[in-house]
Amino acid sequence: MAEDRASGWGSGGCPPEKSSIRVLLVDDHQVVRRGLRTFLEVQDDIEVVGEAADGAEGVERAEELRPDVVLMDVKMPGMDGIEALRRLRELEHPARVLVVTSFTEQRTVIPALRAGAAGYVYKDVDPDALAGAIRSVHAGHVLLQPEVAGALLSQDEGGNGQGRGNALTEREREVLALIADGRSNREIARALVLSEKTVKTHVSNILMKLDLADRTQAALWAVRQGLGA
């Protein structure tokens, strides 16, 4: 048995099963959580590890369960999704957050993205599209609708302008352009023939030099500067 664990192969000489994406559901409506769980539980690569009825409970459960992805509503009683997003970013093992909302107004979605959400979908999203969004966010992608991305750019103050971009190396600019195209670290590594560890270092340096909090802000900054597709 010890040899099996050390080699990474299970008993019987078979390779180990691919680990599932661990998902936490945070929504104040039980019927919504039940519907999401019912659909996601039939996905071979997605596992619902817990639920929470408000932002505060969501942060507690995330700290306890360490999910890969959190599906979270924005409007909830008590601690709302925006504040919960800020708290989740402070955890030792922060999860990627996909906002699931019934609100289409930019004044609702934009604060969530600024608070650290990796993207958002509407509650009437096609089930297969939701599963695809979870996989995409887990892989490191940023999901932005064009109209919201444009609104975010127009609201930007310009404090993160071209001057800070001059501090980036040529390789960091290449990485940033691929972030703007929605590429994950793994995809960037393949495109630039680098290791994922090297790409992570570049991403950290980019965020530090541009004084940005996350990949979403980096992608928006890059688009504003004309990088990416």
Side-chain angles (χ1 to χ4, degrees), residues 11-29:
S11 59
C14 297
E17 294 185 3
K18 185 177 180 180
S19 59
S20 298
I21 302 171
R22 295 165 51 81
V23 174
L24 172 66
L25 308 177
V26 183
D27 195 293
D28 59 314
H29 293 101

Side-chain angles (χ1 to χ4, degrees), residues 17-25 40-41 43-50 65-71 95-98 130-140:
E17 294 185 3
K18 185 177 180 180
S19 59
S20 298
I21 302 171
R22 295 165 51 81
V23 174
L24 172 66
L25 308 177
L40 294 177
E41 284 182 339
Q43 304 297 311
D44 293 336
D45 60 339
I46 297 175
E47 176 189 4
V48 178
V49 296
L65 299 171
R66 298 185 180 181
D68 300 309
V69 176
V70 176
L71 298 189
R96 301 276 285 172
V97 179
L98 180 64
L130 175 60
I134 292 172
R135 296 182 186 107
S136 183
V137 164
H138 178 251

Side-chain angles (χ1 to χ4, degrees), residues 168 202-215 217-218:
L168 299 178
H202 284 314
V203 173
S204 296
N205 289 340
I206 289 167
L207 297 180
M208 178 185 66
K209 289 180 178 180
L210 299 181
D211 193 23
L212 301 174
D214 52 42
R215 295 174 73 95
Q217 293 183 11

Side-chain angles (χ1 to χ4, degrees), residues 133-147:
I134 292 172
R135 296 182 186 107
S136 183
V137 164
H138 178 251
H141 295 290
V142 176
L143 300 180
L144 295 177
Q145 297 294 330
E147 66 274 13

Side-chain angles (χ1 to χ4, degrees), residues 90-169:
E90 298 173 355
L91 296 182
E92 182 180 357
H93 301 280
R96 301 276 285 172
V97 179
L98 180 64
V99 168
V100 183
T101 180
S102 58
F103 295 90
T104 60
E105 298 92 344
Q106 293 178 358
R107 66 176 181 271
T108 299
V109 176
I110 289 177
L113 295 172
R114 290 195 180 281
Y120 72 95
V121 294
Y122 298 128
K123 287 185 177 178
D124 60 356
V125 65
D126 177 85
D128 289 332
L130 175 60
I134 292 172
R135 296 182 186 107
S136 183
V137 164
H138 178 251
H141 295 290
V142 176
L143 300 180
L144 295 177
Q145 297 294 330
E147 66 274 13
V148 173
L152 277 166
L153 293 172
S154 66
Q155 290 182 10
D156 223 353
E157 291 295 331
N160 296 325
Q162 185 61 41
R164 291 182 180 175
N166 292 335
L168 299 178
T169 66

Side-chain angles (χ1 to χ4, degrees), residues 27-65:
D27 195 293
D28 59 314
H29 293 101
Q30 183 178 10
V31 66
V32 172
R33 300 197 307 273
R34 183 177 300 168
L36 290 171
R37 177 182 282 275
T38 298
F39 166 69
L40 294 177
E41 284 182 339
V42 304
Q43 304 297 311
D44 293 336
D45 60 339
I46 297 175
E47 176 189 4
V48 178
V49 296
E51 301 180 15
D54 58 43
E57 184 183 5
V59 173
E60 292 178 1
R61 297 288 281 164
E63 187 171 20
E64 170 192 355
L65 299 171

Side-chain angles (χ1 to χ4, degrees), residues 170-216:
E170 185 61 32
R171 178 63 85 186
E172 288 166 352
R173 292 181 68 83
E174 291 175 341
V175 171
L176 182 56
L178 292 172
I179 291 175
D181 288 341
R183 307 286 189 92
S184 66
N185 283 353
R186 178 172 297 180
E187 292 169 333
I188 294 173
R190 289 174 179 171
L192 299 180
V193 195
L194 301 170
S195 69
E196 281 192 65
K197 183 177 181 180
T198 298
V199 172
K200 289 180 180 178
T201 299
H202 284 314
V203 173
S204 296
N205 289 340
I206 289 167
L207 297 180
M208 178 185 66
K209 289 180 178 180
L210 299 181
D211 193 23
L212 301 174
D214 52 42
R215 295 174 73 95
T216 303

